[in-house]
Amino acid sequence: MFTQSGRSPSHRQPRPRPRAAGITAVGSLLPEDVLSSDDLQREVARHSGLALPPRLLAQATGIVSRRVAAEGVYASTLAVGAARRALAAADLGPLDIDLLVFASASRDVVEPATAHIVQAELGSRAHALDVTNACNSFVNGIDLARSMILSGRAHRALVVTGETPSRAVRTAPADATEFRAGFAGYTFGDAGAAVVVEAVERGGILDVDTETHSEHWEVGGIPGGGSRHPRGDEHTYFQGDGHELRGVFEKVGTAVIDRTLHRTGTDWDDFARVLVHQVTLPYLERFAELTGVPAGKLVVTVPELGNVASASIGVQLDRVFDGLATGERVLFVGLGGGISIMTMVWEKS
C-alpha cells in the first residue's frame, strides 16, 4: 500500500502524539424549504381525517417551524454542504484531512457507510467510517476523532452529520392512537453540520463523560431497516412515547452533568455557552429548571428549526463559534435515544 506521494506508510516519520485536540472550524447547512407547525398539522388532519385542536403541534412543542429536505436532498447532501463550509472556514481542502467521520442518526443507505458517499462528493481520500448513536451521534463522532488524533492514528479529522428525520414523520396516521404513537416525530426538522478536529497547542476538548441506560432502548426510535424489520413502510416511521422519553431523561439526565461540573471544578459561570440537544421548547425549559443553567447561556434553536437530531449541537456551535474568544469554554450536553447522555467540555484555542 502506498500513499499519494508514492511512499509506503512504513516510511513515514512517526509523529509525536499531541497533548490536546480541539475543534478549529465549524459549518452548518439548513435546507431551503420551511414547514410551519400549523401547515404540518393541517397536512396530518387532511390525510388522516382527525379533528385536531387548533395549533396543537405548535402549542405542545413550542416549535413554530422546521426546515425539511426537498426531493433529491439526502443526509449526505446536507453533510457535504456543511463540510465544505467547515473546510473553507479552516482554509483547508478535502485532501488535508485523513479521517472522515459521518456521525448521524440518518443515513443515505444501509450499506455502504454514508461516509463514503460524502467522501466521494468531497473528493477527499481519508479513512472514512460511520458512527451512529441516535441524537448523540455527532458528539460521539467528535470524541472518536479526538481519541484517534491523541493516539496518533489521525492528524486532522472532519466530523460531519446530515439529518433528515422529517422523512420518518407519519403524516397520515390511521387513527388517534397512531397519531399519539408518532407524536414525537412531529418535532423533527432537517439540518447538516460539520467540524474540523485537529491537534491544538492549548485548550481544545478538555473533558468527556457519558452515562448510558440501555434498558430504555425501546422507548423511542425507528425500527425499520435492520434485521428485525428489514422491510415494511410501517417500520420506517418514528415511534415512541415522548412523555416516557422525557421522564427517563429527567430521572437520569442530571447526574452526568453534576459529575462533570464537580470533576472539572466548574460552575455555570465558567462557560460562555451551554449547547444542549433540543427536542421541544418545554423540554429545554425543563432542562434549565432541573440543572440551573442560566437561560442566557443557551443557544435556542428549537422554535425555528425543531428537533434536528444529532445536528442540533453542531448548528448551535456554528451560530456562536466566531463570537467566542480564545480561552472561552463551552459545555456540550447530548441526549440520545437508547438512552445515552453525554457531556463535552471544549475550550476555544
Side-chain angles (χ1 to χ4, degrees), residues 31-117:
E32 294 182 2
D33 293 349
V34 179
L35 177 64
S36 72
S37 289
D38 290 343
D39 284 343
L40 175 58
Q41 179 169 325
R42 281 189 283 268
E43 182 180 359
V44 171
R46 184 173 64 253
H47 289 310
S48 67
L50 295 172
L52 301 174
R55 308 206 70 237
L56 170 65
L57 296 185
Q59 292 177 355
T61 66
I63 297 169
V64 177
S65 62
R66 76 276 293 135
R67 301 293 184 95
V68 293
E71 185 176 354
V73 175
Y74 310 114
S76 64
T77 312
L78 298 174
V80 167
R84 286 176 172 153
R85 292 181 176 183
L87 288 173
D91 196 23
L92 297 172
L95 296 178
D96 291 320
I97 61 168
D98 57 1
L99 173 64
L100 192 154
V101 181
F102 178 82
S104 178
S106 302
R107 64 194 72 179
D108 280 20
V109 294
V110 172
E111 186 183 359
T114 302
H116 295 295
I117 302 174

Side-chain angles (χ1 to χ4, degrees), residues 269-329:
D269 289 338
D270 295 309
F271 297 101
R273 292 289 189 170
V274 177
L275 312 183
V276 58
H277 173 60
Q278 298 176 26
V279 180
T280 67
L281 187 58
Y283 193 100
L284 183 62
E285 292 170 344
R286 180 61 172 160
F287 169 85
E289 178 186 351
L290 290 173
T291 61
V293 59
K297 301 281 185 180
L298 300 172
V299 181
V300 181
T301 59
V302 69
E304 60 169 313
L305 300 181
N307 175 1
V308 291
S310 75
S312 178
I313 287 176
V315 169
Q316 293 172 56
L317 180 61
D318 190 30
R319 293 191 170 188
V320 300
F321 188 86
D322 289 341
L324 294 169
T326 299
E328 286 193 311
R329 293 183 178 183

Side-chain angles (χ1 to χ4, degrees), residues 215-241:
E215 65 272 20
H216 300 292
W217 74 268
E218 293 181 288
V219 172
I222 302 171
S227 61
R228 290 181 180 238
H229 304 287
R231 280 165 285 278
D233 283 350
E234 69 274 18
H235 301 302
T236 63
Y237 298 106
F238 185 89
Q239 302 173 19
D241 187 326

